[in-house]
């Protein structure tokens, strides 16, 4: 929880640590939907960029769920293209 508080205050290392701790699960979620490694990697990059840009706007308790939600939204947007 301390890492989340630091991240919410703009600490880049804390944000990076939270993303690093959850990146594999987020990637797996995206890959399950796309079935293609290259597509999953591209969506993951977009997801990570969005997370870094908008991290401070999310409630502390919902950060991990929010990361999954962003991954699903980006995956759905990919299929709409």
């Amino acid at each position: 929880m301390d890492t989340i508080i630091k991240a919410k205050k703009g600490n880049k290392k804390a944000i990076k640590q939270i993303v690093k701790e959850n990146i594999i699960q987020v990637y797996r979620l995206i890959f399950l939907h796309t079935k293609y490694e290259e597509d999953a990697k591209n969506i993951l990059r977009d997801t990570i960029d969005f997370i870094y840009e908008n991290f401070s706007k999310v409630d502390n308790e919902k950060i991990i769920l929010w990361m999954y939600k962003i991954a699903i939204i980006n995956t759905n947007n990919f299929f709409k293209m």
Side-chain angles (χ1 to χ4, degrees):
M1 189 64 152
D2 190 39
T3 306
I4 293 174
I5 293 169
K6 288 179 184 176
K8 295 286 284 181
K9 292 181 179 179
N11 184 314
K12 300 288 185 188
K13 286 184 180 181
I15 295 171
K16 191 173 185 176
Q17 181 180 346
I18 292 169
V19 170
K20 186 177 178 181
E21 290 171 358
N22 295 282
I23 202 70
I24 293 172
Q25 292 86 352
V26 173
Y27 174 78
R28 286 180 182 162
L29 177 66
I30 295 168
F31 183 78
L32 283 172
H33 287 84
T34 63
K35 306 290 188 219
Y36 294 101
E37 185 177 344
E38 197 61 37
D39 291 340
K41 286 179 180 179
N42 289 334
I43 295 168
L44 183 64
R45 277 188 220 105
D46 292 341
T47 301
I48 291 170
D49 289 344
F50 187 88
I51 289 168
Y52 279 121
E53 292 171 12
N54 297 284
F55 198 87
S56 63
K57 299 176 186 176
V58 182
D59 293 335
N60 292 355
E61 302 84 34
K62 300 179 183 180
I63 287 177
I64 306 305
L65 292 174
W66 175 74
M67 290 172 63
Y68 289 122
K69 182 178 179 179
I70 298 306
I72 293 296
I73 290 170
N74 284 346
T75 303
N76 289 340
N77 288 341
F78 173 80
F79 284 121
K80 288 179 184 177
M81 296 170 88

